[in-house]
Amino acid sequence: MLDTMRKRERLLLALVVAGLALAAAASTMYYARLDLTSTRMFTLSDAARKLRDEIPESVRISYFVSKSLAERHPGPGEIEDFLRELESVSKGKIRVRVVDPSDDPAEADGFGVAAQQMQVVERSEQRVAIVYTGIVVEYLDRHETIPSVLSTATLEYELVKAVRAVVSNDSQVVGLLVGDADKSVSGDYQTLRASLARAGYETRELERGRAVDDDVDLLFVLGNAAMDRYDAAFVDAFVMRGGKAFFAVKGVDVRADYGLAASAVPDGGLLSVLSSYGFDVERSLVLDQSSLTVPFQVQAPSGSYQVQYVRYPFWVIVDERFVSEDSPMTARFGGLDLFWPSPLRLRPVDGVEYVELAKTSPKAWLQTERLAAGPGDQALYALERDGTGGQYLLAASASGSWKSAFMAGDLPYRDGAPPIEPPRPESPPTRMVVVSSADFLSDLMRMSDSGFNASFALSAADWLSSSDDLIAIRSRAVADTRLNRVADEGLRDFLVALTYIVCLGVVPLGVAAFALARSARRRRAEEGSRPSRGGEA
């Protein structure tokens, strides 16, 4: 009997060990993850899961990370876990290796992985260490490099773009055309340029009054105050050959270098071309109760300068409730701040489908007559509020075929410049996006903590290039996390007052009332127990 029980115990132990071994083996091939985040941040997208179908041969992903950094920061561990998961779902099409380049950085340096300085404290001594954390995607004799990465926030998007670029051997070129005389790419659009480059786009600065290069896939027109009809004709020619364009334009020019002096953009130029495409940008300014608070340097009566924080209705916060749910660019809206926008109206033309992307809140109004946007003009901000209050369109997209704005033959000319060749009368099917704020993609986004503006531009670039699956990855990674979600002043004041009442009134009174009630209950219990114990009644 005892031998039989021992045999059963040994058999059970062997079965348990075998079951654990099989479970461990199965976990390397099959796994499950519970992702409770609202944007599914920690779940691989369909684009990443199906990436293996786009890879004819295997792709090698090398993660160069210094051991000293991995021991001190959680980012490298999360990145490696993500890469291993991507390797697992690729079914052998993606191979991942992790390399510590500390001893021999030649390979990492050769691929363009950026070396970074990190302060390290050891044994009460502080020193500066050179660390690496970058990713290289290799396919055949080609490679793409993500020079620096320390989190998984946008890693999936960047990796999918890099793998597709290295496999197809095709890099899309984005032309950056600055249409304002007081701005340049190097001086005012470094954040946008860096964001596009990091997303895998090759950027190129273009000149006004010259034809757009034939190899430019996407055109970003940034501003329009200095563009006349001659300059605009080259943009029209680009669209007529099937080029895809993003327009950040304005109806009112606000000069930050002249005390925020505002003046309407003259008729003609690029706005007339956009009008022929069905986009009318009005020569007025939109103000909204949903707006940013902006620090201004103002001169005090004593002559000294001080910083004054002004609720600035010209810098409009676009609420997620007032964006399109149908467009992939705004389906998972991360946030958008528009600086000095103008109202945008659509006049649909035949053969074109339009989508209203973003609107103001219903508590917006216009400034149409006396344009005054300076910090000292606060008394003039609301002069037309009663007569122009309402909701206004600020951004729209369209896809289809357009007729040329110069099809009537009235080609512009410029003294001393070569004549313009007649454009094609009609474009092949193409796409465009129009935002009625010329400055929202400038480096002003750094000052206002509006990094999601660049994310919106990247989503637009992906939509223009028909990469809708990439938009879903990026839009779930970047969101407005600032503590200014309540833009309605009345509601915000009510919530502030309610917070004071609850924290300084209801909670202390509740604690005091609970203490008094408990003390009274204990006193009654003690008094009731005295007769049974022989004490005083």
Side-chain angles (χ1 to χ4, degrees), residues 46-47 66 70 76 87 177 184 213 359 370 387 439 443 453 456 459 464 470 479 493 535:
D46 289 340
S66 300
E87 180 184 36
L177 177 61
S184 65
D213 299 334
K359 296 180 179 180
R370 187 173 180 180
D439 298 297
D443 291 335
N453 284 6
F456 176 82
S459 296
L464 291 171
L470 288 174
D493 292 342

Side-chain angles (χ1 to χ4, degrees), residues 31 41 103 132 162 215 259 278 305 421 434 461 516:
Y31 61 92
M41 275 286 295
D103 296 332
Y132 291 83
D215 61 338
Y305 285 89
E421 297 182 2
V434 177
L516 292 174

Side-chain angles (χ1 to χ4, degrees), residues 176-197 203 205 208 220-225 246 248-250 339 437-446 454 457:
L176 302 178
L177 177 61
V178 179
D180 293 333
D182 60 333
K183 293 184 176 64
S184 65
V185 172
S186 60
D188 300 277
Y189 294 97
Q190 285 294 332
T191 304
L192 173 63
R193 188 174 203 170
S195 299
L196 288 167
T203 61
E205 185 171 2
R208 296 189 299 273
F220 271 60
V221 181
L222 307 169
N224 57 293
F246 183 101
V249 294
K250 54 191 172 184
F339 312 137
S437 171
D439 298 297
F440 88 105
L441 291 181
S442 72
D443 291 335
L444 282 175
M445 70 176 84
R446 295 178 185 172

